[in-house]
Amino acid sequence: MLIKSPKSYQLKDHDVTDETVYQGRRTLLKSLGFIGASGLLAHSTNAQAGLFDLFKKDPVKPFKVTHLHYKKASETPQILTPEAKVTSHNNFYEFGAQKSQPAQLAQQFKVDPWQLTISGHCNNPYQLDYDDLFTSFDLEERIYRLRCVETWSMVIPWLGFPLAKLLQKAQPNSRANYVVFETLYDPQQMPGQKNRRLGGGISYPYVEGLRIDEAMNPLTLMSVGLYGKTLPPQNGAPIRLVVPWKYGFKSIKSIVAIKFVEHQPANTWNILIPREYGFYANVNPQVDHPRWSQASERRLTTGGLLARNRIKTLMFNGYSEEVAGLYKGMNLHKYY
Ligand SMILES: Nc1nc2c(c(=O)[nH]1)N[C@H]1C(S)=C(S)[C@@H](COP(=O)(O)O)O[C@H]1N2
Ligand SMILES: [Mo]
């Protein structure tokens, strides 16, 4: 496979790139003809990965960046969260319940070979192996905001493809009202699954669900990379979901199974603390978490967790135009 630079996400703070530099580098590489032929490498922020490395790597199956999706929020500047923060401040309870633990405890996580099964109420169930994850669907880059329940948020350049593409290939039938996702269960590799305290008391495997129309929405992304490289293990390698208008916990990581089901499925955080976490989990500044306000958030940028980075949270995380219609007539206080 392309991109075998497992250490490239272990960046120092001085390696970080903000949006301006990032876009500039894209333009440069595009003019040199690199984006398209080896899009994933094209804007590595690792100082070590220069043009020489681009030639060295032999892209057998080129990654295709089909278009750049850039959604501007009306009130918030789109400064990208530095790669070093995206890959060191994580929630991935299989590798520990503290934000710093996944980056440390997931380093040996083996993601190849991998098998993702698509099944349930559909006419064409199928499986994808590791390489298929990168080659079966056109990859594109999308800059999405992701807001965690704990009120921090990031802006991340993801690489992936619409979940709808993967689902349509399976030909779901009329009983497919919901989609269930399941993370790998492998206590040998995931210490949080072996040690209940480390794993935050969750009953594994981690599961999530979406209504079929949410799953089919063009914004809903299956991500296989970020910042122009394959996903680091702590961010959900080799493939994870990104649902940008919902709280972070819906964006399930390291997925091995996707299933079409008839009835609303259970999801991990709702099972654990139903009073605090619902099925829908739409970002909504008007509906507070029982223990804190959801009206504002801390955007993680180069400056870190500084008070001046506190900004107002937008309805549906700023994606109302695309998704508000999905919830027309629903009481969002009840369906939190
Ligand atoms: N399997 C699994 N997926 C998961 C989690 C987890 O603990 N296990 N945490 C969720 C939560 S709470 C958040 S905020 C996001 C964090 O994604 P990031 O670390 O890539 O920013 O992953 C989500 N996906
Ligand atoms: Mo979260």
Side-chain angles (χ1 to χ4, degrees):
M1 253 350 274
L2 186 56
I3 323 303
K4 297 279 187 187
S5 50
K7 292 289 188 294
S8 56
Y9 43 81
Q10 297 172 324
L11 295 177
K12 298 279 179 322
D13 257 351
H14 57 76
D15 288 327
V16 303
T17 312
D18 74 12
E19 185 195 17
T20 340
V21 183
Y22 181 74
Q23 296 297 345
R25 189 177 321 212
R26 279 191 66 83
T27 312
L28 169 72
L29 289 160
K30 200 168 186 171
S31 68
L32 292 172
F34 285 113
I35 293 183
S38 49
L40 261 184
L41 281 170
H43 34 265
S44 161
T45 54
N46 189 340
Q48 311 294 329
L51 292 180
F52 178 66
D53 299 270
L54 286 175
F55 286 111
K56 248 183 9 186
K57 310 251 157 111
D58 182 15
V60 187
K61 294 166 187 162
F63 289 76
K64 205 167 136 204
V65 179
T66 51
H67 82 279
L68 184 69
H69 181 100
Y70 185 87
K71 180 78 175 84
K72 240 189 160 103
S74 42
E75 292 143 80
T76 54
Q78 291 286 293
I79 302 290
L80 293 184
T81 299
E83 184 178 3
K85 284 236 164 67
V86 175
T87 59
S88 63
H89 187 86
N90 301 99
N91 271 336
F92 199 168
Y93 280 54
E94 284 87 339
F95 295 102
Q98 288 167 34
K99 311 284 173 253
S100 60
Q101 282 177 321
Q104 292 156 11
L105 301 178
Q107 289 318 307
Q108 303 307 314
F109 185 47
K110 254 190 92 181
V111 298
D112 181 11
W114 193 265
Q115 207 149 61
L116 170 59
T117 305
I118 296 99
S119 67
H121 294 306
C122 62
N123 302 327
N124 180 41
Y126 67 101
Q127 293 193 337
L128 297 172
D129 291 337
Y130 182 80
D131 282 5
D132 303 330
L133 303 176
F134 304 92
T135 55
S136 300
F137 309 97
D138 285 345
L139 297 183
E140 50 186 284
E141 182 173 68
R142 296 196 184 184
I143 297 170
Y144 277 166
R145 298 177 291 281
L146 189 65
R147 190 195 186 285
C148 185
V149 157
E150 298 105 304
T151 74
W152 39 278
S153 65
M154 305 197 196
V155 186
I156 301 172
W158 299 102
L159 276 163
F161 54 85
L163 172 63
K165 293 261 156 72
L166 178 148
L167 298 180
Q168 277 152 3
K169 190 178 168 189
Q171 300 166 25
N173 63 33
S174 60
R175 290 169 73 191
N177 297 325
Y178 294 87
V179 182
V180 183
F181 306 83
E182 201 176 295
T183 295
L184 178 71
Y185 182 72
D186 186 353
Q188 292 312 325
Q189 287 210 78
M190 295 172 145
Q193 292 180 338
K194 212 155 52 179
N195 178 327
R196 200 171 164 80
R197 227 185 80 165
L198 191 72
I202 288 173
S203 302
Y204 293 101
Y206 194 102
V207 288
E208 256 307 334
L210 292 173
R211 224 168 54 191
I212 189 82
D213 56 346
E214 299 178 315
M216 290 289 191
N217 187 279
L219 276 189
T220 308
L221 198 72
M222 289 297 276
S223 172
V224 295
L226 59 81
Y227 265 105
K229 285 168 275 187
T230 50
L231 289 173
Q234 62 269 32
N235 290 92
I239 188 162
R240 57 91 58 84
L241 187 68
V242 185
V243 194
W245 72 92
K246 292 179 181 282
Y247 291 119
F249 68 84
K250 298 296 285 184
S251 293
I252 181 173
K253 295 175 170 178
S254 305
I255 301 168
V256 292
I258 296 178
K259 200 172 171 183
F260 298 101
V261 297
E262 195 165 353
H263 304 289
Q264 183 177 303
N267 57 304
T268 289
W269 281 95
N270 179 251
I271 297 168
L272 194 67
I273 321 176
R275 217 176 67 80
E276 300 188 3
Y277 308 105
F279 173 77
Y280 282 93
N282 291 317
V283 174
N284 188 342
Q286 292 150 27
V287 176
D288 288 338
H289 185 279
R291 288 184 283 137
W292 58 78
S293 161
Q294 290 290 24
S296 68
E297 66 200 57
R298 279 184 178 178
R299 176 64 50 82
L300 301 195
T301 58
T302 318
L305 288 161
L306 295 176
R308 66 187 155 85
N309 289 332
R310 191 165 271 280
I311 54 175
K312 270 171 72 178
T313 291
L314 301 175
M315 188 65 198
F316 297 117
N317 204 21
Y319 298 99
S320 290
E321 211 178 290
E322 290 93 336
V323 301
L326 295 169
Y327 311 103
K328 233 177 166 168
M330 275 177 71
N331 179 347
L332 297 179
H333 287 262
K334 185 173 170 209
Y335 297 101
Y336 56 94

